[in-house]
Amino acid sequence: MAPRLPLLVLTLTLATAGAAAAHAPAAHAGGAILTATFTRTSTWDSGYGADYVIANSGDAVATGWTVEFDLPAGTTVTSSWSSLRTTTGNHQRFTNVSWNGAVAPGATVSFGFNVAALGVPLNCTVNGAACAGGTAPTTVPTPPPTTPAPTTPAPTTPAPTTPAPTTPTTPPASAGPLVEVGTAAQLSAALTAARPGQTIRLAPGTYSGAFLGRAVGTAAAPITVTGPATAIITNPESSGTNPGCSVPAAGFDPGYGFWLYGAAHWTLTGFTVAGAAKGIMIDDSPHVTVDGVHVHDIGDEGVHFRRSSADGIIRNSRIERTGLVQPQYGEGIYLGSANSNWSCYGNTGGLDASDRVQVLDNEVGPDVAAEHVDVKEGTVAGVIRGNTWHGQGIAGQNSADSWLDVKGSNYLIEGNTGTFRAPGVFANGYETHNPTAGSGCGNIWRDNRSDLGGVGKWAVNVTSTSKCAGNPNIVYASNTVANATSGLTNIAVTPLPQ
């Protein structure tokens, strides 16, 4: 999925008339007159997000609403919010939920949905009355003509006279509103309805379920999810059938604690993820910042930047007790994908280019069963700086026996502090490997402090110099090592530049 691109707003106005004739007299019978306006709020290469805004231009309260429409073959609704949805073939039916069923005269309510493919609604009805139109114009239209009925036409955009619901369902202002959540259901709804500039704030408590964010923020208006460390997100059990390559699908819950998919420019801060199959999964989501989170007691890896989730940051975070179910896959932080998985996760030129990710000032371990950071082949130009590695509890399965395994290229690894104490399996502090041509080369170690606990051989073990002859790895003399069975590095140490 490519980042969603700006789109001219496409608007369809779907009107229903009351029992009044086309030219009703001023003294008409009272009643609610509803219109429903369809707006695409975002689009991407394989689908779009949309809202319907339902307005009442009559003189009585509407006590409930139902919007129905058909979608062209091959176009499906993948998720929806602020409504109850029923799908029968290509036919979609949306009804109000408890808090947005009443529409006062002059007021509006709304609901929204995401769509796979690009077809727009056809054959629309509002409360059973046929709606004109159904095909979106290709340019921004002029305001719709005044609908007949009241002598005094309703304004084009009625001002609401009833309070807005706690969770906004229309696109927020550029600065973004604050959405307070306190239950799992509220968090799910807020994630589904998220808009650029919005902040979703978790109250203390436990949020159990599958939490997926797919909206796209911007550099100027990122989407933020924040909460205290006592706001704990958990997802203890996976369910449903994986459609292949772990993509979002109806009924499929992979057991991730928090999942971003195709969701650029998000910030996750402060809260805790615990008791999940995987911790925080970031798929096809560039420019994501993870800041000050606590991830612990996880079945596999703690935090994973995958499917070319480039230009991300993880900082000031604590990760411990990973790999409880599969120790060989219990990495603390995972950048990219193994080349054996590029057929699933390699969406940029055939490889997983989760490039330029910065790993800053985190504390990883103890009891991280695999590498504290696993830097996969195909990724480049990241920065790993100022972190603390606690090697106690490394399991040694699947050759995971070091703080870092660097298969990516041109990384700066600087100012980190690593220790190892039993129990655990520990070969070296840092290792390089070269599973693909040019991988595991051009990396720089500088100002790192390593205590190998009397067990590890080298602070930095470079497994091949010949495979990196044109782009060698460099270990500067500013690195230090203690309690090594062999020493600082197995290659020539480079003096510091003058």
Side-chain angles (χ1 to χ4, degrees), residues 96-444:
N96 60 273
V97 291
S98 60
W99 49 263
N100 66 357
V103 189
T108 63
V109 298
S110 64
F111 69 94
F113 50 92
N114 287 329
V115 172
L118 300 175
V120 296
L122 306 168
N123 308 319
C124 301
T125 64
V126 178
N127 283 359
C131 298
T135 302
T138 56
T139 58
V140 177
T142 57
T146 304
T147 56
T151 302
T152 302
T156 302
T157 305
T161 59
T162 55
T166 302
T167 302
T169 58
T170 56
S174 58
L178 175 64
V179 180
E180 304 274 7
V181 300
T183 68
Q186 290 172 351
L187 175 57
S188 292
L191 292 173
T192 304
R195 297 290 185 269
Q198 197 169 61
T199 294
I200 300 168
R201 186 162 67 192
L202 285 68
T206 299
Y207 300 77
S208 183
F211 301 106
L212 170 64
R214 300 194 68 176
V216 176
T218 67
I223 299 167
T224 299
V225 180
T226 186
T230 51
I232 301 169
I233 293 176
T234 184
N235 190 6
E237 295 184 5
S238 60
S239 61
T241 301
N242 190 337
C245 296
S246 297
V247 299
F252 172 54
D253 172 10
Y256 302 164
F258 194 97
W259 191 11
L260 293 177
Y261 193 98
H265 293 288
W266 283 61
T267 298
L268 312 178
T269 178
F271 56 84
T272 295
V273 176
K278 298 177 186 286
I280 298 174
M281 296 298 294
I282 303 165
D283 274 322
D284 192 21
S285 300
H287 301 286
V288 169
T289 297
V290 180
D291 189 357
V293 302
H294 186 192
V295 179
H296 65 88
D297 294 288
I298 302 298
D300 295 339
E301 69 265 36
V303 178
H304 194 164
F305 291 81
R306 188 172 67 176
R307 278 191 174 93
S308 298
S309 293
D311 300 298
I313 300 172
I314 176 168
R315 64 190 177 204
N316 305 319
S317 296
R318 184 180 175 192
I319 302 168
E320 56 186 331
R321 298 193 298 278
T322 61
L324 300 183
V325 176
Q326 299 187 97
Q328 68 272 33
Y329 303 128
E331 298 87 353
I333 300 168
Y334 199 128
L335 309 181
S337 302
N339 60 53
S340 58
N341 290 323
W342 286 354
S343 60
C344 271
Y345 307 129
N347 58 354
T348 300
L351 53 82
D352 182 342
S354 294
D355 298 335
R356 298 177 299 280
V357 174
Q358 300 181 60
V359 181
L360 309 174
D361 302 311
N362 303 285
E363 184 172 1
V364 185
D367 298 315
V368 167
E371 295 90 348
H372 292 56
V373 183
D374 196 356
V375 181
K376 287 301 185 184
E377 57 270 24
T379 69
V380 300
V383 176
I384 301 173
R385 176 189 293 132
N387 303 280
T388 299
W389 323 122
H390 299 288
Q392 179 180 349
I394 294 178
Q397 296 187 23
N398 198 28
S399 301
D401 52 13
S402 60
W403 301 315
L404 268 67
D405 191 351
V406 184
K407 305 181 192 75
S409 298
N410 302 321
Y411 276 74
L412 174 61
I413 302 164
E414 178 181 49
N416 303 287
T417 300
T419 61
F420 176 77
R421 297 291 182 270
V425 177
F426 191 64
N428 300 284
Y430 303 86
E431 297 180 348
T432 69
H433 292 95
N434 317 91
T436 60
S439 67
C441 301
N443 301 293
I444 295 173

Side-chain angles (χ1 to χ4, degrees), residues 9-83:
V9 175
L10 306 181
T11 305
L12 291 174
T13 301
L14 313 173
T16 62
H23 300 284
H28 63 277
I33 302 174
L34 298 183
T35 62
T37 301
F38 169 83
T39 304
R40 282 188 184 179
T41 56
S42 58
T43 192
W44 53 99
D45 58 355
S46 59
Y48 64 88
D51 284 342
Y52 269 104
V53 177
I54 301 167
N56 184 2
S57 60
D59 55 11
V61 175
T63 57
W65 49 263
T66 299
V67 173
E68 299 185 58
F69 55 79
D70 298 316
L71 288 173
T75 299
T76 58
V77 174
T78 58
S79 61
S80 58
W81 52 93
S82 303
S83 60

